[in-house]
Amino acid sequence: MRYEPGSRFYDEMFTALGAARAHYQGVETYLDALGVEEFRRRHQLLDLAFRNQGITFTVYGDAQGTERTFPFDPVPRIIPASEWSNIESGLTQRVRALNAFLTDIYSGAQILGDGVIPAELVYTSAHFRREVHGVLPPGGIFTHVVGTDLIRNEQGEYLVLEDNLRSPSGVSYLLANRQAMTRVYPGMFEGQGVRPVQHYTSALLKLLLASSPRENGTVVVLTPGMYNSAYFEHAYLAQQMGVELVEGRDLFVDGGRVWMRTTGGRRQVDVIYRRIDDDFLDPLAFRRDSALGVAGLVDVYRQGRVAIANAIGTGVADDKAVYAYVPDMIRYYLNETPILNNVPTYLGWNAEHLEFMLANAQDLVFKSVGEAGGYGMLIGPAATRKEIQAYLEKVRRDPRDFIAQPVVGLSRHPTFYPDSGGFEAAHVDLRPYVLFGEDVTIVPGGLTRVALRRGSLVVNSSQGGGSKDTWVLDHDGPAAPLGMTQLLHGDTSPGPAQGQSQSQSQSQSGGGQSQTQSQSQSQSQWQGGFGAVPLGGEVSAQSLAQLADHAALHRAHAADEAQVAAYSESQRAADAPPPPALAPADSPGPHSFQQQLEKDQLGADGEDR
């Protein structure tokens, strides 16, 4: 793997001396064995799969067209177990403090009375909702789903860049990335000890059901519609949870309850996982011109007859000015020292901070407190004098709406660039997803966003960024090496039995075992029923990597066939008509990744290329 990590920024995969970090050594070996050309071919398969599955996002105001395939880089970002344990503890601490803060300010506001946070800062926030003051959501939970953006500075320390509490997006790409990677690069996972992420949607559904005011409540996902930038995610999550995806026009209020229009008549709705900002939820309570929400929804919410996740008013806690006080919240509510630090932040509403911001704009990153997605930013070192002056005019007019932070050199990660056919360093961040209820559930990993524009520090997809699969390991590395039997049959836990088998084979051979028997036994072990493999001499590293992929594909295919068989049996048990015959191997369908890889890897003679 030809790659130059450099020394200015922290590199996730390599040390400054160019050696792969312990938890990356297995992936480095795999990439070296696979080769650049084969890696490039599979990268093209990923792009095709994402297009065919409609894994897209929308860029507003782009004359070239709004809907685009979400860019994906297949070199995974890997986090060892001990590192993740610290992140997990820090995120749990942070979300508990944020939920306590929201509960407090929408009731007695004790933290404001004690002067820990300026009351002016909270009450002037555009996201503070007086309409729900005094309303306690079910279980006292405001922050059902939280996406916290983490970065690593030049020393490798994790810092919190911002919290997303209104309707954090991106988790569908996390899940889709993992699914695609296990299909197209299955051998990369062998023996690595990667923790799973696919349980997220079942955990989310359990959390939503727990907030229902009725037993066995009805859950829906409320979307603004197909033209929203994250519509793919809304549809994906609804489908994975097995609940209805609805728009505002599908719901109505009657008799103090929320109802859903269905072909079988109206049905009461108990939990709304909303992907719409507060402003558009209810035209009777917020924006009167909103056609996206449900008239009367807030009144039903106040009566406790419908739960909304995340709760109305959570946006005040992800105001970028309020963010600066989260460490103080942790000390105040939990009496604990913050585990994860903030990026140093200057607040425009503070006169001393504002003076510093105006005088040093060329060295700072400015952000609008209410914007998201990389919009409303100014990166001083990359801006022209004219751009800086124009931006500072807005800051002077409304200083409350702006913060500034020093430029942090985000860590970098090897990333494949098809135009150059090589691996180059690109800046990354990390957005883990936290589900907060009676227990805290954190998906082991998150969405790693990568700045695909060379030299850029902006990782948002709307600004040219993409994503990576994020692995959390169950160890600190390096991964345990796999023998050939393990690669073929998936036994990733070497033990005494393996060594005993090898010893018996050697003793039998030495005790007069015939050459034919020995060769037959060896051939059985090496082939494993998956195709011919050279029996004599050395096996190349590339053949080993492709053999691992081929074996993993067959195991995945067998698992899929088992699921189909189990479904068929359950249907027959219910006296249902038998399911249709399986599609032929060359037809498109759920095994398209496997089929494409098998076709390209195996020739007419069945040999592994």
Side-chain angles (χ1 to χ4, degrees):
M1 180 178 181
R2 301 180 63 180
Y3 173 76
E4 177 54 54
S7 58
R8 181 181 175 189
F9 303 99
Y10 182 88
D11 193 273
E12 296 286 344
M13 184 170 179
F14 290 94
T15 67
L17 299 178
R21 303 185 191 278
H23 50 287
Y24 273 98
Q25 289 175 6
V27 166
E28 182 193 34
T29 300
Y30 177 86
L31 294 176
D32 286 341
L34 196 64
V36 172
E37 288 306 313
E38 177 64 11
F39 188 85
R40 185 206 300 269
R41 186 183 69 83
R42 299 193 189 193
H43 185 276
Q44 294 170 347
L45 283 179
L46 280 173
D47 288 342
L48 178 62
F50 275 45
R51 284 198 300 272
N52 290 343
Q53 294 180 52
I55 303 176
T56 61
F57 69 101
T58 300
V59 180
Y60 298 125
D62 192 328
Q64 297 179 357
T66 59
E67 192 170 8
R68 300 179 184 176
T69 303
F70 197 83
F72 176 66
D73 178 71
V75 184
R77 196 255 187 88
I78 305 178
I79 303 173
S82 59
E83 202 171 276
W84 178 251
S85 178
N86 185 67
I87 293 173
E88 202 169 33
S89 299
L91 293 175
T92 300
Q93 178 191 64
R94 195 171 182 94
V95 73
R96 288 189 185 280
L98 286 165
N99 196 77
F101 168 71
L102 289 165
T103 303
D104 186 13
I105 64 168
Y106 284 109
S107 54
Q110 187 174 347
I111 194 170
L112 306 183
D114 290 341
V116 177
I117 300 177
E120 174 191 357
L121 197 65
V122 173
Y123 294 140
T124 59
S125 172
H127 301 297
F128 180 76
R129 302 299 179 191
R130 291 167 177 80
E131 295 85 353
V132 293
H133 191 276
V135 177
L136 187 67
I141 299 170
F142 283 82
T143 54
H144 301 81
V145 184
V146 178
T148 297
D149 292 343
L150 303 177
I151 60 173
R152 295 182 92 169
N153 61 16
E154 293 86 346
Q155 292 73 44
E157 177 191 6
Y158 281 100
L159 300 173
V160 177
L161 187 63
E162 63 182 51
D163 303 288
N164 299 279
L165 288 85
R166 282 171 282 172
S167 53
S169 63
V171 73
S172 61
Y173 303 117
L174 178 162
L175 301 173
N177 290 350
R178 176 62 56 85
Q179 186 177 38
M181 282 288 288
T182 55
R183 295 292 187 183
V184 179
Y185 298 94
M188 193 183 295
F189 291 82
E190 292 291 329
Q192 296 295 322
V194 182
R195 295 174 59 183
V197 298
Q198 298 302 134
H199 62 285
Y200 174 85
T201 51
S202 60
L204 174 60
L205 180 60
K206 180 181 178 182
L207 172 65
L208 296 174
L209 287 171
S211 66
S212 172
R214 295 191 307 157
E215 289 189 12
N216 303 317
T218 297
V219 178
V220 298
V221 177
L222 177 61
T223 176
M226 63 182 296
Y227 296 108
N228 182 263
S229 62
Y231 181 73
F232 163 77
E233 173 155 301
H234 308 164
Y236 180 90
L237 291 177
Q239 186 271 333
Q240 291 293 308
M241 290 191 289
V243 303
E244 295 294 335
L245 178 69
V246 300
E247 297 182 28
R249 60 189 174 182
D250 300 318
L251 305 178
F252 66 96
V253 170
D254 184 43
R257 289 170 174 80
V258 180
W259 304 89
M260 172 174 54
R261 295 182 174 90
T262 74
T263 55
R266 70 180 190 178
R267 181 179 180 185
Q268 186 174 342
V269 172
D270 304 284
V271 184
I272 299 175
Y273 178 36
R274 54 79 171 254
R275 301 304 296 262
I276 296 176
D277 281 346
D278 292 345
D279 281 336
F280 301 96
L281 273 178
D282 183 349
L284 300 183
F286 304 119
R287 287 185 54 162
R288 295 187 178 183
D289 61 344
S290 172
L292 303 177
V294 184
L297 175 61
V298 171
D299 189 48
V300 181
Y301 176 72
R302 288 196 193 105
Q303 297 173 32
R305 292 177 176 173
V306 68
I308 298 177
N310 285 352
I312 297 174
T314 53
V316 66
D318 69 13
D319 183 301
K320 291 179 174 61
V322 175
Y323 146 90
Y325 290 91
V326 175
D328 296 316
M329 297 178 197
I330 293 172
R331 299 184 187 95
Y332 182 81
Y333 293 114
L334 307 181
N335 196 27
E336 296 174 1
T337 301
I339 296 172
L340 298 172
N341 293 319
N342 279 11
V343 175
T345 303
Y346 302 97
L347 306 176
W349 73 273
N350 182 301
E352 293 182 3
H353 288 196
L354 178 62
E355 183 180 356
F356 180 85
M357 291 162 59
L358 297 175
N360 298 275
Q362 70 279 1
D363 300 319
L364 300 172
V365 176
F366 282 74
K367 298 178 182 178
S368 176
V369 298
E371 292 283 2
Y375 296 104
M377 290 179 58
L378 174 77
I379 301 178
T384 65
R385 180 175 298 181
K386 184 177 180 179
E387 290 172 335
I388 292 174
Q389 291 303 319
Y391 195 93
L392 292 184
E393 285 300 316
K394 295 188 291 183
V395 175
R396 291 187 182 96
R397 282 198 304 269
D398 199 350
R400 165 63 179 82
D401 281 352
F402 295 91
I403 66 167
Q405 297 171 328
V407 177
V408 179
L410 277 63
S411 61
R412 301 198 302 185
H413 196 286
T415 300
F416 185 73
Y417 283 83
D419 59 349
S420 65
F423 298 94
E424 302 177 31
H427 294 283
V428 295
D429 77 349
L430 174 65
R431 177 179 289 183
Y433 294 89
V434 185
L435 299 178
F436 182 74
E438 291 185 5
D439 301 313
V440 177
T441 301
I442 304 178
V443 176
L447 181 67
T448 289
R449 299 181 298 178
V450 54
L452 294 177
R453 291 178 181 171
R454 291 178 172 90
S456 174
L457 288 168
V458 182
V459 298
N460 305 83
S461 57
S462 57
Q463 310 296 316
S467 68
K468 290 174 172 286
D469 190 16
T470 306
W471 295 4
V472 172
L473 306 183
D474 57 15
H475 58 83
D476 284 349
L482 297 181
M484 183 60 67
T485 302
Q486 294 169 288
L487 290 174
L488 289 172
H489 301 293
D491 179 12
T492 58
S493 55
Q498 183 179 349
Q500 183 179 2
S501 175
Q502 292 174 349
S503 175
Q504 289 176 350
S505 176
Q506 291 174 357
S507 63
Q508 289 173 355
S509 178
Q513 185 182 28
S514 70
Q515 183 177 1
T516 303
Q517 289 175 326
S518 176
Q519 182 174 350
S520 175
Q521 185 178 29
S522 298
Q523 184 171 352
S524 174
Q525 180 182 7
W526 282 85
Q527 287 184 331
F530 300 137
V533 178
L535 300 179
E538 296 291 331
V539 180
S540 71
Q542 185 170 8
S543 296
L544 186 63
Q546 292 183 345
L547 186 60
D549 276 350
H550 199 185
L553 283 169
H554 274 270
R555 288 196 299 278
H557 184 76
D560 289 340
E561 294 293 348
Q563 289 181 351
V564 172
Y567 176 76
S568 301
E569 290 298 324
S570 67
Q571 293 292 88
R572 292 191 184 97
D575 294 326
L582 293 175
D586 60 349
S587 65
H591 309 309
S592 57
F593 290 148
Q594 296 180 15
Q595 293 161 0
Q596 184 64 42
L597 284 174
E598 289 169 359
K599 286 179 183 177
D600 291 342
Q601 287 181 9
L602 301 178
D605 56 0
E607 288 201 19
D608 193 2
R609 291 177 178 171

